[in-house]
Amino acid sequence: MPRGIDPLMDAKRPALPFVLTANDLLSGYTVYHDGARWVAKLGGALVAKDAEAGDRLNELGLAELARGAIVDPYLAGVTIGDDGAIAPRHFRDTYRLSGPTIAFAGPAFVPGEQ
């Protein structure tokens, strides 16, 4: 495991289903992984519905952290509605949908257009 990687990300794994989320390093915005890249909308996230998919998301989170594009990756529990809509299970993740809680003085940020 690369130096500086927090092995507790795996230890904090929520019950299935869950998604991989983090904060973009430059903007602070919440991002979600769709299996290929980081996206801004929870609805675009890849949802792990079984242990194997969960393991892949966990490994992906650790690799992305080591790459340095994001901070604080973790696996966030979600629910899937009858209509297929993805919703956070925890208040923290619901709150994070509204964006950073601090003002950002840089240029406008659009996840995926870095």
Side-chain angles (χ1 to χ4, degrees):
M1 179 175 300
R3 185 179 202 150
I5 300 300
D6 185 356
L8 294 178
M9 185 171 116
D10 188 53
K12 296 178 184 178
R13 185 179 299 206
L16 292 165
F18 54 76
V19 298
L20 175 61
T21 185
N23 291 94
D24 180 80
L25 183 62
L26 297 177
S27 71
Y29 277 91
T30 301
V31 290
Y32 305 91
H33 213 282
D34 71 0
R37 63 187 180 96
W38 293 103
V39 296
K41 303 289 184 186
L42 176 59
L46 176 66
V47 178
K49 297 178 183 176
D50 59 48
E52 184 177 316
D55 289 343
R56 284 194 308 272
L57 278 182
N58 188 68
E59 291 170 13
L60 183 59
L62 293 172
E64 288 289 290
L65 180 61
R67 190 170 69 85
I70 49 93
V71 293
D72 191 27
Y74 68 95
L75 303 169
V78 295
T79 59
I80 303 173
D82 293 337
D83 60 356
I86 303 169
R89 266 199 314 250
H90 192 276
F91 171 76
R92 174 188 185 202
D93 298 307
T94 301
Y95 191 72
R96 290 176 76 231
L97 289 172
S98 64
T101 57
I102 60 169
F104 179 64
F109 170 77
V110 178
E113 294 184 7
Q114 300 175 26

